[in-house]
Amino acid sequence: MKRTTPLRAAIAALLLTVGLGAAAANAAPPPEPAPKASASAGLLDAMRQDLGLTAAQAEERLRTEKTAAEVEKAAERSAGAAYGGSWFDPAAGRLVVAVTDRAEEAEVRALGADTRLVRHSAAALDRAKARLDGLRAPEGVAGWHVDPKSNSVVVDVVRAQRQTPAVRAFVDRARAGGPVTVAETAEAPRTYAAGTVGGDPYYTGNVRCSIGFSVHGGFVTAGHCGGAGAAVRGWDGSAMGTFQGSSFPGDDYAYVSIHSGWWTVPVVLGWGTVPDQLVRGSAEAPVGASICRSGSTTRWHCGTVLAKNQTVNYSQGAVHQMTKTSVCAEGGDSGGSFLSGDQAQGVTSGGWGNCSSGGETWFQPVNEILARYGLRLHTA
C-alpha cells in the first residue's frame, strides 16, 4: 500500500525489534523477560469488548486455541476413517474430536484432545453436504454446512419462510440424502459491498470494498467486489491495481495485482480502533475459536467460528466452502480480513444483521484463495 503513518509505525516496530536484538548480543545477559503477549493490547481489548473476556482470559484463550489448531491436524490423521470432525470447547480450553470407532478414542486423547463417539464420519457428512450442493435452493434457504457437534448437515432457513412450500420441499429432499437437521436464522445472507463513500477503502466502479491480505504482488479480497480485468482505485482515488482473477458465485474470492507506487506489507489495519496487526501465517483455526475482523466500514469486531465448509445461498447464487462466524459486518466490509491471533483466516464475503443489533458473517478461507491463484501470503 502507499505510505500511511500506521503502516510505517508497524514496520518501524519490526525493524526496531531486530536492532535491539542485535545490540543485546553484545551486552550483559538481560534479566529473565516477562512472558511474551500472544497478541497486541488492542486485539485483546477488542476480544474483551466483543467476547466479554478479560485481558488475561483473552490471552489464555488465544494460547489454548493455538494448541487446539495443532492438535486438530494430528487428531484427524490419527483417527483416519473414524474421524467425525472437531471443535474447540472454550469452557474446557480443549479441542473435542468426534470419532465413529471407540477403539480410536485412546490414541486421540493421548494427543491432548477430548473425544465424543458419533455415528457418522466426517467423510460421510461431507458426502451428504455435496448432495445438497447439487440442489437448487429457494430464497428462504440461507445455506447449509457440516456440523460436527450435532453430527449432521445443518440446513439454515429464514424463520419467516420456514413453512413455505418451496422451503419445506427443499428440506424434505435434503433429509432424504443423509443426516440433516434444520436451524432457523433471522435473515437471509447478503454480500457486503457498498456504494462509494469516504474512508480508507479500495474502489471498483461505484463499489467500495476492503482489502483482505497482502500477498507478494498484490492482495486478496472478495470476488463479488469486481470481475477479472476490472481497474482498482486506492483510498486516495489514484490507480492502484487490476483484478487478475475473480470468482463469484460458486466461490467468493479474487486476486488484485498492484501498480508501482503501491506495495504490500504483512499488516492488517486497525483503523485507529486497535493497533495495526502483523500477519505471521495462515494456520486454520478450529470451530469454536475466537476470531476478529477488520473492514473499512465497521473497523474491528470479534466473535467465534461457528461452522466450516458451509454453502451460503445468496440472491446471486450459492457460494461453497465458506466459514460462518458470529462477527458482525456492514456494507463496505466485503473483502476485509479475518484473523485468529496473528494467523490469516479469510476474506469477508457477506452475512446478515449489522454491528448495532448484531448478526453473522461468512468468510472465504484464505488458504483456498492462495492455492487457487498460486499466491504467497506476505508474512512478518
Side-chain angles (χ1 to χ4, degrees):
M1 294 189 65
K2 283 191 174 181
R3 285 189 176 89
T4 64
T5 300
L7 293 184
R8 288 204 305 273
I11 297 168
L14 273 177
L15 296 175
L16 181 60
T17 301
V18 174
L20 289 175
N26 300 316
E32 189 69 24
K36 183 179 178 182
S38 59
S40 73
L43 178 57
L44 297 176
D45 188 58
M47 293 177 68
R48 176 195 60 77
Q49 176 178 313
D50 291 331
L51 297 177
L53 304 174
T54 65
Q57 288 171 333
E59 284 270 14
E60 176 64 12
R61 179 151 177 176
L62 288 173
R63 185 189 66 78
T64 54
E65 287 174 352
K66 182 177 181 180
T67 300
E70 295 168 352
V71 170
E72 186 174 39
K73 295 178 181 178
E76 183 175 1
R77 290 193 298 269
S78 175
Y83 181 70
S86 56
W87 62 93
F88 179 74
D89 180 359
R94 290 166 63 87
L95 187 75
V96 182
V97 178
V99 294
T100 59
D101 186 347
R102 193 178 296 278
E104 301 293 338
E105 288 186 296
E107 189 170 344
V108 171
R109 285 176 179 166
L111 296 171
D114 295 330
T115 58
R116 180 180 295 178
L117 194 64
V118 297
R119 180 179 179 183
H120 306 288
S121 69
L125 295 176
D126 286 342
R127 288 193 294 270
K129 179 187 175 293
R131 286 191 286 271
L132 267 68
D133 287 344
L135 304 179
R136 184 174 180 82
E139 181 180 301
V141 175
W144 50 92
H145 66 277
V146 169
D147 177 32
K149 283 187 179 182
S150 66
N151 196 227
S152 68
V153 177
V154 175
V155 175
D156 292 308
V157 300
V158 179
R159 185 175 300 114
Q161 301 183 57
R162 179 166 184 172
Q163 298 304 321
T164 62
V167 170
R168 292 176 65 178
F170 181 87
V171 169
D172 288 343
R173 292 184 66 188
R175 283 176 167 154
V180 166
T181 57
V182 178
E184 293 183 348
T185 184
E187 301 175 30
R190 64 187 186 280
T191 55
Y192 281 130
T196 300
V197 296
D200 193 5
Y202 76 88
Y203 303 89
T204 54
N206 67 342
V207 171
R208 172 170 66 87
C209 282
S210 301
I211 292 172
F213 295 97
S214 286
V215 296
H216 291 274
F219 62 86
V220 293
T221 186
H224 70 263
C225 291
V232 172
R233 306 188 311 279
W235 62 270
D236 60 356
S238 66
M240 183 183 193
T242 305
F243 276 82
Q244 296 298 327
S246 179
S247 179
F248 179 79
D251 308 296
D252 194 5
Y253 51 61
Y255 162 52
V256 175
S257 64
I258 54 174
H259 300 323
S260 59
W262 298 83
W263 61 88
T264 65
V265 289
V267 172
V268 171
L269 296 176
W271 301 104
T273 303
V274 301
D276 296 345
Q277 305 294 307
L278 293 174
V279 178
R280 300 188 185 278
S282 58
E284 187 176 331
V287 170
S290 63
I291 197 162
C292 296
R293 181 193 54 72
S294 176
S296 61
T297 299
T298 58
R299 303 182 177 183
W300 272 93
H301 286 278
C302 298
T304 57
V305 178
L306 299 178
K308 295 184 180 182
N309 192 23
Q310 176 156 8
T311 297
V312 179
N313 191 35
Y314 293 127
S315 61
Q316 301 95 325
V319 177
H320 308 293
Q321 295 178 307
M322 302 275 271
T323 298
K324 181 181 181 180
T325 77
S326 64
V327 188
C328 67
E330 296 179 14
D333 287 329
S334 277
S337 323
F338 266 92
L339 286 167
S340 182
D342 58 7
Q343 299 295 303
Q345 298 297 308
V347 299
T348 304
S349 174
W352 64 267
N354 56 56
C355 289
S356 297
S357 59
E360 295 174 335
T361 302
W362 286 264
F363 67 79
Q364 185 87 66
V366 69
N367 288 330
E368 180 183 354
I369 310 173
L370 300 177
R372 170 64 179 82
Y373 296 117
L375 303 171
R376 186 159 59 95
L377 189 67
H378 194 163
T379 57

